Amino acid sequence: MANTDLTALTGDYTIDAAHSTIGFTVRHAMVTNVKGKFDEFSGSLHLDGGDPSASTASIDVKMDSIDTGSEDRDGHLKSADFFKTDEFPTMTFRSTKAEALGDEDYRITGDLTILGTTKPLTIDLEFNGAAKDPFGNERVGFEGKAEIKRSEWGLTWNAALETGGVLVSDKIKLNFDISAIKNA
């Protein structure tokens, strides 16, 4: 929606988890990708259409809600080998910088905390538009992607393969489809 008046979008928004996805892709056994997502998360956005650099985002993800389509794998990911969800139940993102790149493209940088370790994360975003839904809610949508090395957050479990390489790649591709509702 290139003609959207971004100043009209200025305000505070709540992420609609029922219509949003926080997902990831990781190379498995050096030959295929495994995709997963988190089913429970909450977050808020402050959009400043007149000055996009004043926009902010905050997201909290319940780590026990991980879903890769395999109950056994999900259980392993929740264990001490990976996310230690009993000790670290939440992954968080708090933005520190937002910038408009032109057209519908934006970049948000912030602090990602996993396993109690906080490191910077930069997410490239595309603004998908704004609309009033059938229930009268003002909505905005963003699609985003980023890559991290899981080892930087202490996620180092792995297994060597007989053919060389490792079972789980260090590189994780993150993807975000966010729908947010403007607060009344």
Side-chain angles (χ1 to χ4, degrees), residues 26-156:
V26 61
R27 176 90 55 204
H28 181 261
M30 307 295 291
V31 296
T32 191
N33 289 320
V34 169
K35 294 182 180 186
K37 62 186 174 74
F38 295 95
D39 292 327
E40 295 179 44
F41 55 90
S42 60
S44 61
L45 309 174
H46 171 76
L47 302 182
D48 189 323
D51 179 8
S53 69
S55 298
T56 60
S58 174
I59 300 174
D60 296 313
V61 177
K62 185 176 177 193
M63 298 306 286
D64 266 341
S65 75
I66 195 164
D67 179 3
T68 64
S70 166
E71 205 171 299
D72 288 344
R73 181 174 41 232
D74 295 346
H76 190 204
L77 289 169
K78 294 174 190 180
S79 78
D81 284 344
F82 286 95
F83 291 119
K84 304 175 188 173
T85 59
D86 289 342
E87 187 179 350
F88 301 100
T90 308
M91 171 175 61
T92 62
F93 176 80
R94 302 290 183 263
S95 67
T96 56
K97 180 181 179 184
E99 51 193 318
L101 303 177
D103 293 327
E104 305 298 323
D105 297 325
Y106 298 86
R107 181 171 290 143
I108 192 158
T109 301
D111 294 326
L112 177 65
T113 302
I114 305 173
L115 294 174
T117 298
T118 303
K119 299 258 182 208
L121 173 68
T122 298
I123 304 168
D124 289 324
L125 295 169
E126 180 179 349
F127 176 60
N128 287 342
K132 185 175 281 204
D133 70 19
F135 308 102
N137 298 309
E138 295 289 340
R139 286 184 178 269
V140 293
F142 292 91
E143 215 174 311
K145 60 185 176 182
E147 285 187 6
I148 64 169
K149 288 188 176 186
R150 64 187 180 93
S151 59
E152 293 180 357
W153 279 268
L155 293 162
T156 57

